[in-house]
């Protein structure tokens, strides 16, 4: 029996509709339109696609987006200067610097330069600290998307055995904190974990975020488990073409899992929806308004 396929596109579209309603209320009741500033350095094809999708979705929700393009050869100091300028603009509510950045730039310095109140990607060190200590703050978009997708299958995550494969600052670590806040029982596994497949098989809820195509096969999955595939890679396909693939061998795992996200069409659309949600919340905070429950 095949697993239930979690339709990230449909779930994100429904969330996007509710966000659009909140944006309209901000505009009509308070004269405020959420404004997201996106900084894109160079012409990385994947980054171009991500930014195009983000700007299209935010526009569809009635939000404003301004795109700031910089050369691949830009100096780190010039990028930080732009971020500082966007921080100071009261008309801008969220600042997002699209990663990855060219090798001459230390992404940590750039992320740290974003004003925490406008850090709608939730990656600033202050945002990470607030999350780790359980204090209110902006949560990282992809981990937040993972939690929301998991909750479409499991109404409550209390006590659930959750395993995360991947310990990155962008996904694995913040996702662990979000799961702990839900009272889940959390294991973080990685490339040095002994018998990774055996550890993964303990999970009722398995998250995979390593960026290695088809790493997780059916041997990693407990029968009936929910599998959330965060990874995305471009691999060779027939006729010299390429295609997108996740960290999970979808066809294999679909036969044993209870529920699974596809790639593409799973975590990706929900990540963009969560970015929009964070921007609305940052807008409300800046205006001294209570953030809507969405």
């Amino acid at each position: 029996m095949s697993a239930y396929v979690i339709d990230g596109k449909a779930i994100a579209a429904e969330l996007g509709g509710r966000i659009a309603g909140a944006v309209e209320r901000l505009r009509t009741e308070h004269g405020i339109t959420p404004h997201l500033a996106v900084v894109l350095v160079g012409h990385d094809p994947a980054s171009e696609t991500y930014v195009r999708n983000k700007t299209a979705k935010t526009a569809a929700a009635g939000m404003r987006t301004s795109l700031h393009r910089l050369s691949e050869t830009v100096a780190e100091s010039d990028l930080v200067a732009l971020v500082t300028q966007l921080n100071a603009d009261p008309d801008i509510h969220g600042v997002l610097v699209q990663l990855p950045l060219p090798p001459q730039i230390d992404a940590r310095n750039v992320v740290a330069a974003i004003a925490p109140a406008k850090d709608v990607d939730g990656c600033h060190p202050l945002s990470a600290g607030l999350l780790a200590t359980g204090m209110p703050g902006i949560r990282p978009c992809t981990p937040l998307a993972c939690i929301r997708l998991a909750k479409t299958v499991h109404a409550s995550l209390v006590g659930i055995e959750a395993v995360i494969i991947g310990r990155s600052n962008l996904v694995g670590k913040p996702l662990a904190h979000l799961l702990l806040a839900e009272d889940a029982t959390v294991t973080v596994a990685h490339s040095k974990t002994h018998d990774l497949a055996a550890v993964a098989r303990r999970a009722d809820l398995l998250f995979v975020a390593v960026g290695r195509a088809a790493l997780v096969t059916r041997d990693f999955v407990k029968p009936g488990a929910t599998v959330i595939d965060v990874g995305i890679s471009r691999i060779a396909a027939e006729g010299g073409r390429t295609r997108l693939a996740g960290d999970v061998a979808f066809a294999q795992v679909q036969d044993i899992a209870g529920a699974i996200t596809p790639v593409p069409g799973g975590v990706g659309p929900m990540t963009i929806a969560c970015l929009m949600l964070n921007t609305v919340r940052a807008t409300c905070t800046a205006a001294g308004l209570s953030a809507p429950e969405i």
Side-chain angles (χ1 to χ4, degrees):
M1 184 174 175
S2 288
Y4 164 67
V5 178
I6 303 169
D7 189 342
K9 286 184 178 179
I11 297 166
E14 190 273 336
L15 177 57
R18 288 187 282 136
I19 291 168
V23 170
E24 177 62 15
R25 288 190 294 276
L26 280 171
R27 187 184 66 80
T28 57
E29 297 174 14
H30 303 283
I32 302 169
T33 299
H35 182 177
L36 173 66
V38 180
V39 180
L40 179 60
V41 179
H43 299 281
D44 177 73
S47 293
E48 294 271 5
T49 299
Y50 294 150
V51 167
R52 186 164 56 248
N53 290 340
K54 287 169 183 174
T55 54
K57 294 297 183 183
T58 51
M63 300 165 62
R64 294 174 57 199
T65 305
S66 55
L67 177 59
H68 303 264
R69 287 182 171 272
L70 296 175
S71 165
E72 183 81 20
T73 59
V74 67
E76 181 180 304
S77 58
D78 291 334
L79 175 53
V80 169
L82 172 60
V83 168
T84 302
Q85 177 186 328
L86 298 174
N87 289 340
D89 188 340
D91 188 50
I92 292 171
H93 305 104
V95 176
L96 170 69
V97 178
Q98 181 64 48
L99 302 178
L101 294 170
Q104 77 274 13
I105 298 173
D106 188 334
R108 295 171 297 182
N109 295 335
V110 176
V111 170
I114 299 172
K118 297 187 178 186
D119 171 37
V120 289
D121 214 17
C123 293
H124 190 279
L126 177 60
S127 300
L130 292 172
L131 172 58
T133 54
M135 297 178 67
I138 297 175
R139 304 316 193 202
C141 300
T142 299
L144 186 58
C146 290
I147 295 292
R148 284 185 167 256
L149 288 171
K151 283 188 167 183
T152 66
V153 179
H154 305 273
S156 171
L157 303 184
V158 174
I160 198 168
E161 184 85 14
V163 173
I164 305 165
I165 302 178
R167 53 179 170 177
S168 70
N169 290 331
L170 291 176
V171 181
K173 291 176 184 177
L175 178 55
H177 289 300
L178 287 175
L179 286 165
L180 289 170
E182 296 286 341
D183 292 320
T185 300
V186 185
T187 299
V188 179
H190 45 78
S191 60
K192 302 295 190 298
T193 298
H194 296 299
D195 201 348
L196 181 59
V199 173
R201 279 197 303 273
R202 300 205 310 254
D204 294 305
L205 182 53
L206 177 62
F207 300 90
V208 193
V210 293
R212 180 176 163 190
L215 168 70
V216 169
T217 59
R218 64 179 293 115
D219 294 338
F220 284 66
V221 180
K222 178 181 180 180
T226 297
V227 181
I228 308 294
D229 189 353
V230 185
I232 187 164
S233 304
R234 189 167 290 277
I235 63 174
E238 293 181 3
R241 294 172 294 182
T242 61
R243 65 176 180 85
L244 295 177
D247 287 352
V248 177
F250 185 87
Q252 284 189 43
V253 172
Q254 188 179 14
D255 288 339
I256 191 170
I260 187 171
T261 58
V263 176
V267 174
M270 273 300 287
T271 295
I272 295 175
C274 289
L275 171 66
M276 294 158 55
L277 178 60
N278 281 350
T279 303
V280 169
R281 288 174 171 166
T283 303
C284 291
T285 299
L289 302 170
S290 297
E293 292 293 330
I294 303 176

